[in-house]
Amino acid sequence: MKIQKENKKTLKKGLSDEVIKMISSLKKESKWMLNIRLNAYKAFKNMKNPKWGPDLSFIDFNEYIYYASSLNNEFYKASWNDVPKKIKKQFDELGVPEREAKYFSGVNNQYDSETIHHQLKKELDDKHVIFTNIETALLKYPNLVKKYFDKLVPFTDNKYAALNTAVWSGGTFLYVPKGIKIDKPLSAYFRINTKSVGQFERTLIIVDDNAYVHYNEGCTAPIYDKNNLHAAVVEIFVGKNAYCRYSTIQNWSDNVLNLVTKRAVVDTNGTMEWIDGNLGSKLNMKYPASILKGDNSKAKCVSIAVSHKGVIQDAGAKMIHIGKNTKSQIISKSIAHNGGNATYRGLVYIARSANNAISDVVCDTLILDKVSKSDTFPTEKIFNNTSTIKHEAKVSDVDQQKLFYLQSKGIDLTAAKQLLVLGFIKDFTDELPLEYVVELNRLLKMDIK
């Protein structure tokens, strides 16, 4: 296959060894990374789509662009002023620069395949925190990247992890040294803006012993008549007595196929928290996983999934208990309206070694009309007799008495429904920074009309 470059380093559609070599060459990568890419591509070609969940057989991988850069020169821009005006205008409209100034210690923005802007505050530098795009980390800290990359989510894990490993581009690298506490959240924003493009960012987060960090992520895309493919991989390593919170709100347009693998491993007395919001996308399959390896480690996943006509939300969480006295909690809130399909799919696995483990699962669904649907597929496996699992599931429609009460106070029907939905997801919004709550409220009001 002959590779032709289009405007500004955008490759033609299609996937091959030559495409992967071109991506690796553009990034000036070491041979070991190219070998991982090529081995992952070989595995990808031989792997089948998952047999459970939504049907993915319609995906034609040769119909996607696997590298699209909107930048004229290098992928890394140290100053927001250096970012091209067209791109900067779109991020300005999303409020990203304002968030950086007011709320976050650092921001990493990705547009299609490349990081366009990264700002590292001096206070992070002084603490020897590494927060950058993963390409820069690969060039500056190759041994550190090599130690963790592909270790928690190997390319043999599933077809879309293999695809990501083969063609990954952009994403975040974060290393928090031992004993360092970052008080303000760090943030990344990912945007797909090219028709039929695939976005395959790779996020690698290492929170060393006794360290603390809160990482926020946002995703968005404009609407095109062709599908976009987003297949990301997130690997998080939480050390002893360390804490990591990973908050995300994805607001993909309804043409995006969002097929993501997110996984964390937690050492002794460590804590991992996933705060996961899912709005939009043609098809979303995402199940943040926590492996509680160390004794007394803890994990929590609080998520929402909002589905309307033409949107399939297949989301949930996985908790794997290995260490003793481990604790996990899953709170899943699903909303289906206007013909939407919202499904919870989760796993709690308590190994023989995980004595005295405790897991609590709550799955609540709100169905706003008679044409929408919701399903729950929990899998729970326990291999010792000292552990406890609690599971609670509830499906409900809009409380007509509350709806009538709100309307009697002069609130119109649409606004009343929106208020009830916001009340339903309070467990989720309570976990978000204030600026994300404002954004989520705005997005829900746009979605539920």
Side-chain angles (χ1 to χ4, degrees), residues 155-224:
F155 63 77
T156 53
D157 189 84
N158 65 76
K159 188 173 183 69
Y160 295 92
L163 178 62
N164 175 278
T165 306
V167 299
W168 70 266
S169 206
T172 296
F173 181 87
L174 171 60
Y175 172 72
V176 186
K178 290 183 179 180
I180 296 299
K181 182 175 181 179
I182 303 175
D183 296 320
K184 294 180 181 179
L186 304 176
S187 179
Y189 212 96
F190 300 101
R191 180 172 174 82
I192 296 175
N193 205 68
T194 302
K195 189 175 183 178
S196 297
V197 78
Q199 184 164 298
F200 308 97
E201 76 270 11
R202 188 83 179 209
T203 296
L204 185 55
I205 297 174
I206 304 104
V207 188
D208 216 328
D209 297 349
N210 300 293
Y212 177 104
V213 71
H214 183 181
Y215 175 84
N216 287 314
E217 176 189 282
C219 307
T220 189
I223 297 175
Y224 289 118

Side-chain angles (χ1 to χ4, degrees), residues 25 34 45 49 54 69 81 108-109 112 114 125 136 203 208 223 263 308 323-324 346 370 427:
S25 175
L34 174 59
K45 290 188 290 185
N49 279 311
S69 174
N81 294 327
N108 194 29
N109 297 324
D112 290 334
E114 295 292 16
D125 239 350
T136 299
T203 296
D208 216 328
I223 297 175
R263 190 170 300 157
H308 56 255
K324 299 178 178 63
K370 294 182 180 180
D427 287 333

Side-chain angles (χ1 to χ4, degrees), residues 254-418:
D254 293 356
N255 64 304
V256 174
L257 308 176
N258 190 47
L259 310 171
V260 177
T261 305
K262 294 185 173 184
R263 190 170 300 157
V265 62
V266 190
D267 211 332
T268 304
N269 294 312
T271 299
M272 179 68 209
E273 295 182 349
W274 302 94
I275 312 300
D276 194 56
N278 302 287
L279 292 87
S281 72
K282 179 185 180 74
L283 171 59
N284 176 53
M285 296 178 71
K286 191 205 304 180
Y287 322 93
S290 298
I291 301 172
L292 299 173
K293 182 184 74 170
D295 293 348
N296 304 300
S297 55
K298 296 182 290 186
K300 177 168 72 171
C301 182
V302 183
S303 66
I304 63 165
V306 182
S307 177
H308 56 255
K309 185 178 181 180
V311 172
I312 298 175
Q313 294 282 2
D314 197 285
K318 298 179 182 179
M319 298 293 179
I320 315 297
H321 294 251
I322 297 174
K324 299 178 178 63
N325 306 309
T326 49
K327 294 181 179 180
S328 69
Q329 183 181 30
I330 298 172
I331 300 175
S332 171
K333 300 281 188 175
S334 300
I335 301 164
H337 69 103
N338 191 29
N341 183 345
T343 296
Y344 168 81
R345 195 181 304 274
L347 169 68
V348 176
Y349 181 97
I350 298 179
R352 191 180 300 277
S353 59
N355 291 321
N356 302 310
I358 297 174
S359 184
D360 188 4
V361 182
V362 177
C363 303
D364 292 340
T365 301
L366 183 64
I367 300 179
L368 299 181
D369 51 52
K370 294 182 180 180
V371 293
S372 300
K373 64 174 290 188
S374 176
D375 295 293
T376 302
F377 298 103
T379 300
E380 293 166 352
K381 299 180 179 181
I382 182 167
F383 293 94
N384 65 55
N385 58 10
T386 63
S387 298
T388 303
I389 293 180
K390 290 190 339 183
H391 184 102
E392 174 189 334
K394 182 173 64 176
V395 179
S396 58
D397 57 10
V398 175
D399 189 314
Q400 295 300 318
Q401 288 186 334
K402 291 180 180 178
L403 204 59
F404 175 78
Y405 174 79
L406 291 171
Q407 288 181 279
S408 72
K409 299 300 181 182
I411 300 173
D412 65 53
L413 179 61
T414 299
K417 281 186 179 180
Q418 292 168 350

Side-chain angles (χ1 to χ4, degrees), residues 1 10-16 19 44 56 58-68 160 163 167 192 194-200 226-230 255-259 282:
M1 175 182 174
T10 295
L11 303 184
K12 288 283 191 179
K13 291 181 181 179
L15 186 56
S16 67
V19 167
F44 164 77
L56 301 174
F58 66 92
I59 299 176
D60 183 351
F61 294 99
N62 285 319
E63 284 299 308
Y64 293 99
I65 298 167
Y66 289 89
Y67 183 89
Y160 295 92
L163 178 62
V167 299
I192 296 175
T194 302
K195 189 175 183 178
S196 297
V197 78
Q199 184 164 298
F200 308 97
K226 291 281 187 76
N227 292 337
N228 289 82
L229 177 60
H230 178 247
N255 64 304
V256 174
L257 308 176
N258 190 47
L259 310 171
K282 179 185 180 74

